[in-house]
Amino acid sequence: MLMRTDPFREMDRIVQQLSGTSGTWSKPSVMPMDAYRQGDVYVIAFDLPGVSTEAIDIDVERNMLTVKAERRPAEKSDGVQMELSERPLGVFSRQIMLADTLDTERIEADYDAGVLTLRIPIAERAKPRKIAIGGESGRKQISG
């Protein structure tokens, strides 16, 4: 039900990790995610530790889901000298092409403990349905 749109994103993510560069609005870093089906709902979970809900933007245009977030450096008081900085900062983004069988009008989003979870229900038109055969006339009727 989900399709990756850019096969080179993973390579970019590895290069960014090794070089220590941060994502920018014009070239954001990739955020890790999991996607799975749970009954009649697709669930997508994004790791965004340290990001406030105000810094997360979720957008759906047609079947393209875009999630963008920004993690800024923590405010430091005068006299603080950074010894080690390994936590990635900057802009993170992920685009996912959603199948037509998902109901993009009813997406739910929750954010807890640094994990953004989206729940996308399967559209009613995509669910299996029974077809009844009429009496002597042989008319068919779809029930759903």
Side-chain angles (χ1 to χ4, degrees), residues 128-144:
R129 57 192 180 276
K130 296 283 186 191
I131 299 173
I133 299 175
E136 294 178 3
S137 65
R139 284 181 286 139
K140 295 181 180 178
Q141 176 184 8
I142 298 174
S143 63

Side-chain angles (χ1 to χ4, degrees), residues 38-88:
Q38 187 174 32
D40 286 343
V41 175
Y42 264 88
V43 180
I44 307 172
F46 299 92
D47 281 349
L48 293 171
V51 176
S52 69
T53 55
E54 295 81 28
I56 300 172
D57 183 42
I58 306 166
D59 184 34
V60 176
E61 185 176 335
R62 294 194 178 138
N63 286 6
M64 180 64 71
L65 171 73
T66 304
V67 177
K68 276 193 174 185
E70 183 175 13
R71 183 182 307 127
R72 296 181 179 181
E75 294 291 324
K76 308 239 183 328
S77 61
D78 292 339
V80 172
Q81 182 178 345
M82 184 62 84
E83 296 291 328
L84 180 64
S85 180
E86 293 181 345
R87 296 173 39 205

Side-chain angles (χ1 to χ4, degrees), residues 56-124:
I56 300 172
D57 183 42
I58 306 166
D59 184 34
V60 176
E61 185 176 335
R62 294 194 178 138
N63 286 6
M64 180 64 71
L65 171 73
T66 304
V67 177
K68 276 193 174 185
E70 183 175 13
R71 183 182 307 127
R72 296 181 179 181
E75 294 291 324
K76 308 239 183 328
S77 61
D78 292 339
V80 172
Q81 182 178 345
M82 184 62 84
E83 296 291 328
L84 180 64
S85 180
E86 293 181 345
R87 296 173 39 205
L89 301 172
V91 179
F92 302 86
S93 179
R94 199 71 186 250
Q95 283 192 314
I96 302 165
M97 181 66 79
L98 303 175
D100 289 334
T101 56
L102 297 177
D103 188 351
T104 58
E105 298 293 321
R106 297 184 1 200
I107 296 175
E108 295 178 5
D110 297 306
Y111 186 64
D112 185 41
V115 178
L116 173 66
T117 304
L118 303 180
R119 295 183 196 314
I120 310 169
I122 294 177
E124 289 298 321

Side-chain angles (χ1 to χ4, degrees), residues 14-29:
I14 292 169
V15 168
Q16 285 177 348
Q17 280 183 337
L18 294 175
S19 66
T21 58
S22 298
T24 63
W25 283 106
S26 61
K27 185 148 176 69
S29 299

